[in-house]
Amino acid sequence: MTSATHRTAEEIGRTARGPRPLPPLGEQRAAGDLSHVDTELSNGLRVLAVRKATVPMVEARLWIPFAGDDALHPATSEVLAETILTGTARRNRIEIDAELALIGGDIGAGVDPERLVLTGSALAEKLPTFLDVLGDVLTGATYADDEIAREKERLVERIAVSRTQPRTIAREALQKHRYGDHPATREVPRAEDVAVVTPEQVRALHQASVLPRGAVLVLVGDIDPQAVIGELEKVLGGWASDRSAVRLPPLPELTGPSVRLVPRAGAVQSQIRLSAQTVPRTDPGYAALQLANLAYGGYFSSRLVENIRENKGYTYSAHSGFEFTDGTAVVNVDADTATEATAPALLETRYELGRLGQVPPAGDELESVRQYAIGSLLTSTSSQSGLAGQVLALASTGLGLEWLNEHPARVAAVTADEVAEAALKFFAPKRFTGVVVGDAAVLERKLRSLGDVVVGEPA
Amino acid sequence: MADPELVRYTLDNGLRVVLAPDATAPVVGVSVHYDVGFRSEPEGRTGFAHLFEHLMFQGSESLEKLAHFRHVQSSGGTFNGSTHPDYTDYFEVLPSAALERALFLEADRMRAPKLTAENLANQIDVVKEEIRLNVLNRPYGGFPWITLPPVLYSTFPNAHNGYGGFEDLESATVDDCAAFFDTYYSPANAVLTVAGDFEVDNAKALIEQHFGDVPHRPAPQRPSFAEPLPTTQLRGEVEDPHAPLPALGIGYRMPDPINDVDGYLAYLVLAGVLTDGDGSRLQQRLVHREPLVVDIGAGAGLFGPFEARDPDTFTITLIHPHEVPRERVLAALDDELQKLADSPPSEEELRKVTARWTASLHSEHDRLVSRTLALGSFELLYGDASLVYKLADRMSAVTSEAVSAAAKALRPDARAVLVVKPASEGNNEQ
């Protein structure tokens, strides 16, 4: 291409000495124990404070169960999340932003049908200021009329953008198809609902649902975990209620129905989204299930990726992973494929589900997923933000840092038989429901011929 | 922030090495940066640098197809690669026990990758799916990094699509791959970085053992990609069949990122003053006060700052409602830039921006993968990995006058304006 005299590809691919052996792994040092406090404040808020002084920063995650069955709840909670940081009695929107900026800080809010999450960080030496702003927002957010009005307009526009994203369209179709009209399905509010939300409704929702009891605050960073608890009692003392944060009603057990082809005329790519019930991290069988999932599609060296990406080129990314909702868990399989590759990709996806139970992972394949599960936990928790995210995920299901410390040993102890049992039990193709969003004119006949596929928008 | 220990040296074959030991967690990051990106692709071969990045994972003399992935992951690690305008990087983060394996894997593909017709065909399919996923089937896909450069720049290296056209990708041959490898993937054209939990002497010995016998080939002469500055307002338009709202991408030229670091940093501070946080100038006016736009952002580089040599692009992107005329948006933007040009920003405005930058640099360095990649790319582009640890101080030293001067240079008659039209808008001009 550029060099005038280059070697041939064949010459490049070999050396005089020939292939070399893979070096063995060295001795692995364990992660040091992290000093931490796991306690409940007098207002009922659970706090996990962890010292990890790798950089002079602190990461904060506040998780508040935030369910509601009111028809306007999704829209109201979305407006609340968009405006919770736009003013208090003590600070207006710009003052909040300025105060955070000067301490290298940030706070963002996000909401879904299950929870409201505030995510933030700041320079560790400025933690008192950060907590002061956080406490101010939690106890004194004012939701000024003009801020609400403006954010509603922006939200309507952003919902329009979001609803054109193939992944949002597919997610919405999957939720409706598998859970009907359970509140968990209302992830993106309807624009017409957002338009009618009033400031009074948002303030009332804050009063009723932004509650410490049943919520969790995680702090990870260059901090003294003991000392920070006293600080929190002071700053968040005024944030109190007799009631507990509102949890989502349990999701129905996922048992079917068939896979649904959802038409999207002219799409050049289809979204394949399959899903089946599994068990959560608290289940004694979780570690074996985790390894079965990794072997199926949970990492790049998995059967699914090797088949439909690396061997057949049907997709750029294929993946399977768990979705935890309150105390339950499902496994989801995702792949985006060219329209003409969609039916064969679905066929291979199901074939690999069946094969996982019939020819379960063992030997090198099992050791590979085992090492990956242990190693990726080590790397993902080696940063403050990674650890904060992991601790929050655990804390929201009632688990603590002990789970994190003990999990490598659990993974190490899983037997091949246990993985085989998990594969057979949870990955049987018949247990999977889901959607394929794509160009039905091209796909319908082929997908129907695979069986167990219905066509049309979810009810 | 105290400068962590850095060890830098060069092997006999020309491979530059950066070692950054840090024992706070038992994990290690390894990266190799090659000094070639999509700006070096010849005409008729758009997307080749990125396609080639995929092929580097597909096997080598000692490793069958798929073995690279398996060996990294079965050691408990994660991996990836990415292609930028001026470099291509490959990296792994693993438990520290796997350091030698990672070095072995990188050395083996630097020495003797297996470039086959079968793998090439397969990865052309995969890359086409990647483009469908990230560009063709998505609203604002490729905006602005693919769509803005052809408006701002006029030469092929700067203006073309780095993902590539399907026809170019499909016509790539195994011999193209061989020529590309022999030209650009020489050890003398690369930087190896190791960061995290390891002993320096041990790492040096392992690096010599695995990379030492990769034969030297001269690094290619790097061409200049220089272009004259625009002398008028350049306009372009693309139709986006998936976009629900119109968007604008505005591109300006900026100071030479390598030879005028402080001038470049002034533009980064300016980007913060303009759009970072609710209190920033453009957020306040265009999003909250007037409001004219749904979303706005400003920044340096098509993928972020410090990832390209000269010329580099300062971009402002925004999405606006149908009923807001784009000329009104541009007028408000120019008005705010003029205010900054006329009177420098306050000290507090600068402190807000630099404190957030300092914090975000800490967070970036806390993630081993980001730290490893930053050290490698700074060594490659700037010849000085330690600059990574000096950025926060250099940024804090930027003066209000420098920011004001940067705002003054963002002139309407020396920029590119790309209009993204939703397909539903058709030909009806607003």
Side-chain angles (χ1 to χ4, degrees):
Chain A
M1 182 172 277
T2 301
S3 80
T5 54
H6 61 267
R7 295 172 292 167
T8 65
E10 201 163 75
E11 287 163 348
I12 286 171
R14 60 164 186 260
T15 65
R17 189 172 140 187
R20 304 169 193 219
L22 182 74
L25 292 175
E27 202 60 37
Q28 180 62 42
R29 187 167 70 81
D33 267 348
L34 297 159
S35 86
H36 79 284
V37 172
D38 187 345
T39 188
E40 207 169 271
L41 299 187
S42 52
N43 63 5
L45 177 70
R46 181 177 171 204
V47 178
L48 275 122
V50 188
R51 174 164 178 81
K52 186 172 174 64
T54 43
V55 287
M57 293 286 294
V58 58
E59 292 281 338
R61 307 282 184 274
L62 175 62
W63 176 95
I64 306 173
F66 211 69
D69 50 12
D70 183 275
L72 268 188
H73 179 77
T76 315
S77 59
E78 200 72 49
V79 175
L80 180 142
E82 289 296 323
T83 51
I84 190 168
L85 290 154
T86 60
T88 68
R90 287 160 56 199
R91 300 170 170 99
N92 68 24
R93 173 183 206 136
I94 288 169
E95 286 162 347
I96 289 175
D97 180 61
E99 192 144 8
L100 287 172
L102 288 168
I103 61 167
D106 240 323
I107 303 179
V111 73
D112 66 24
E114 190 188 353
R115 73 263 154 84
L116 174 71
V117 176
L118 300 188
T119 299
S121 65
L123 293 164
E125 57 174 354
K126 307 290 189 183
L127 182 61
T129 309
F130 178 85
L131 294 177
D132 185 61
V133 174
L134 183 66
D136 190 21
V137 165
L138 291 170
T139 55
T142 43
Y143 304 100
D145 291 5
D146 57 335
E147 295 286 358
I148 297 268
R150 202 158 49 233
E151 287 305 323
K152 276 168 52 180
E153 275 176 39
R154 286 182 77 199
L155 200 49
V156 167
E157 306 284 9
R158 294 233 297 277
I159 289 169
V161 174
S162 165
R163 283 246 158 77
T164 54
Q165 297 278 4
R167 72 165 67 114
T168 310
I169 294 169
R171 173 72 187 175
E172 211 155 39
L174 175 68
Q175 288 297 73
K176 275 191 199 160
H177 180 63
R178 63 181 180 173
Y179 295 128
D181 66 353
H182 188 282
T185 60
R186 299 165 206 158
E187 292 179 348
V188 182
R190 297 187 306 181
E192 58 266 36
D193 289 346
V194 169
V196 299
V197 168
T198 65
E200 291 73 27
Q201 286 167 327
V202 180
R203 288 174 208 134
L205 180 61
H206 186 111
Q207 277 297 320
S209 292
V210 181
L211 304 176
R213 194 171 302 282
V216 181
L217 174 65
V218 173
L219 294 173
V220 173
D222 190 358
I223 56 171
D224 176 346
Q226 294 291 349
V228 88
I229 301 300
E231 182 82 16
L232 285 169
E233 281 288 3
K234 249 186 349 214
V235 177
L236 299 180
W239 185 37
S241 168
D242 296 339
R243 286 173 304 111
S244 291
V246 188
R247 295 191 92 99
L248 198 64
L251 283 170
E253 178 96 0
L254 206 51
T255 51
S258 311
V259 169
R260 178 176 292 275
L261 169 59
V262 179
R264 186 160 176 256
V268 298
Q269 212 174 33
S270 312
Q271 287 68 47
I272 298 174
R273 302 287 186 266
L274 306 182
S275 184
Q277 193 73 41
T278 58
V279 292
R281 287 194 184 90
T282 46
D283 191 280
Y286 174 74
L289 173 67
Q290 184 192 7
L291 297 190
N293 173 63
L294 284 172
Y296 175 73
Y299 74 153
F300 199 89
S301 303
S302 63
R303 296 177 177 196
L304 182 67
V305 176
E306 292 193 356
N307 181 336
I308 70 174
R309 172 177 154 134
E310 293 299 303
N311 291 332
K312 303 204 173 69
Y314 292 158
T315 185
Y316 172 64
S317 71
H319 182 256
S320 69
F322 298 104
E323 179 182 357
F324 301 101
T325 308
D326 217 340
T328 66
V330 295
V331 64
N332 293 330
V333 182
D334 297 1
D336 290 25
T337 65
T339 301
E340 61 271 21
T342 303
L346 179 62
L347 177 68
E348 296 296 334
T349 302
R350 286 176 168 175
Y351 162 76
E352 293 293 355
L353 287 171
R355 193 166 74 90
L356 194 74
Q358 310 309 322
V359 188
D364 284 353
E365 189 182 13
L366 177 57
E367 292 319 305
S368 176
V369 291
R370 195 193 305 276
Q371 285 310 313
Y372 183 75
I374 295 169
S376 59
L377 196 61
L378 208 56
T379 55
S380 72
T381 55
S382 67
S383 70
Q384 293 175 351
S385 61
L387 181 62
Q390 186 75 41
V391 171
L392 183 70
L394 295 174
S396 64
T397 48
L399 298 169
L401 235 66
E402 310 74 49
W403 190 94
L404 202 58
N405 293 331
E406 292 158 9
H407 196 57
R410 270 192 298 271
V411 172
V414 169
T415 67
D417 284 348
E418 288 166 343
V419 176
E421 172 60 24
L424 195 61
K425 184 169 171 188
F426 293 109
F427 285 81
K430 280 176 66 74
R431 301 183 75 250
F432 281 76
T433 181
V435 296
V436 176
V437 181
D439 191 344
V442 183
L443 293 175
E444 176 167 356
R445 196 158 156 252
K446 286 182 176 168
L447 289 185
R448 277 190 193 279
S449 80
L450 293 177
D452 204 26
V453 173
V454 296
V455 182
E457 296 288 343
Chain B
M1 175 175 171
D3 282 12
E5 180 187 357
L6 274 185
V7 178
R8 299 161 59 221
Y9 63 103
T10 304
L11 300 190
D12 290 344
N13 59 16
L15 178 66
R16 285 155 285 171
V17 179
V18 178
L19 304 179
D22 163 33
T24 54
V27 290
V28 67
V30 173
S31 68
V32 178
H33 286 70
Y34 291 96
D35 199 335
V36 60
F38 55 75
R39 278 210 275 220
S40 297
E41 292 160 354
E43 296 197 40
R45 286 292 180 271
T46 60
F48 193 85
H50 170 245
L51 174 62
F52 192 82
E53 173 214 315
H54 278 243
L55 282 171
M56 286 292 282
F57 288 94
Q58 295 293 312
S60 56
E61 183 174 41
S62 308
L63 299 162
E64 290 302 310
K65 179 181 165 79
L66 303 179
H68 183 96
F69 309 122
R70 286 185 190 139
H71 291 321
V72 174
Q73 295 196 311
S74 68
S75 309
T78 56
F79 62 86
N80 214 334
S82 66
T83 308
H84 301 246
D86 289 334
Y87 66 85
T88 307
D89 61 35
Y90 300 83
F91 55 92
E92 297 85 37
V93 173
L94 324 90
S96 39
L99 170 61
E100 186 179 0
R101 277 200 180 172
L103 295 172
F104 167 83
L105 294 170
E106 289 300 345
D108 211 62
R109 61 178 165 182
M110 181 183 285
R111 186 187 302 111
K114 215 175 282 168
L115 306 167
T116 70
E118 185 199 343
N119 287 341
L120 177 60
N122 170 261
Q123 290 304 311
I124 289 171
D125 283 345
V126 170
V127 167
K128 283 160 67 182
E129 282 309 297
E130 181 179 353
I131 295 170
R132 287 190 180 102
L133 180 74
N134 290 335
V135 182
L136 302 176
N137 200 36
R138 169 181 293 185
Y140 312 108
F143 170 74
W145 77 274
I146 292 175
T147 44
L148 184 58
V151 188
L152 181 63
Y153 296 101
S154 53
T155 62
F156 174 82
N158 296 319
H160 81 272
N161 171 359
Y163 251 156
F166 280 14
E167 278 188 12
D168 282 1
L169 291 169
E170 283 160 2
S171 63
T173 67
V174 171
D175 197 55
D176 290 335
C177 298
F180 195 78
F181 178 80
D182 260 359
T183 306
Y184 295 113
Y185 278 64
S186 113
N189 205 38
V191 171
L192 167 69
T193 307
V194 182
D197 181 27
F198 63 89
E199 299 285 338
V200 169
D201 288 344
N202 182 44
K204 278 183 157 176
L206 292 174
I207 289 166
E208 183 57 37
Q209 182 188 331
H210 290 286
F211 287 90
D213 72 338
V214 180
H216 168 79
R217 298 193 303 281
Q221 196 74 35
R222 201 169 42 237
S224 162
F225 299 121
E227 277 194 39
L229 300 177
T231 53
T232 174
Q233 177 156 278
L234 306 160
R235 304 287 290 229
E237 202 172 281
V238 290
E239 198 166 282
D240 186 333
H242 306 292
L245 294 175
L248 290 174
I250 302 144
Y252 303 88
R253 294 281 297 274
M254 26 187 333
D256 183 334
I258 312 297
N259 298 305
D260 182 9
V261 177
D262 294 315
Y264 189 84
L265 291 176
Y267 279 63
L268 281 194
V269 177
L270 172 64
V273 168
L274 290 176
T275 63
D276 190 3
D278 280 340
S280 62
R281 302 243 174 156
L282 295 180
Q283 294 277 358
Q284 271 198 53
R285 171 152 176 199
L286 272 69
V287 178
H288 301 299
R289 218 162 52 229
E290 300 227 339
L292 300 174
V293 306
V294 177
D295 245 317
I296 187 161
L302 296 169
F303 305 110
F306 313 114
E307 51 99 44
R309 299 190 177 92
D310 191 60
D312 200 4
T313 313
F314 185 89
T315 59
I316 297 175
T317 56
L318 54 92
I319 296 177
H320 65 93
H322 289 280
E323 58 275 15
V324 175
R326 62 183 72 103
E327 297 309 332
R328 236 187 106 194
V329 177
L330 286 171
L333 165 67
D334 288 332
D335 186 46
E336 288 302 319
L337 289 171
Q338 188 61 49
K339 281 182 194 159
L340 274 172
D342 292 342
S343 71
S346 71
E347 284 303 320
E348 182 173 296
E349 271 182 290
L350 297 200
R351 276 215 316 282
K352 286 193 299 182
V353 172
T354 52
R356 275 206 168 123
W357 260 99
T358 302
S360 76
L361 286 166
H362 284 315
S363 297
E364 193 181 322
H365 299 157
D366 191 37
R367 287 187 303 273
L368 183 56
V369 62
S370 316
R371 186 178 357 133
T372 309
L373 290 175
L375 290 167
S377 61
F378 274 84
E379 184 67 24
L380 187 88
L381 295 174
Y382 291 84
D384 181 9
S386 73
L387 187 54
V388 168
Y389 298 121
K390 298 173 186 141
L391 283 177
D393 286 346
R394 295 273 289 260
M395 183 108 45
S396 300
V398 169
T399 64
S400 326
E401 287 69 32
V403 176
S404 182
K408 194 173 177 184
L410 303 186
R411 299 154 53 100
D413 61 359
R415 71 177 171 198
V417 176
L418 170 75
V419 175
V420 178
K421 294 172 78 171
S424 57
E425 204 175 294
N427 292 321
N428 302 328
E429 269 300 321
Q430 297 162 20

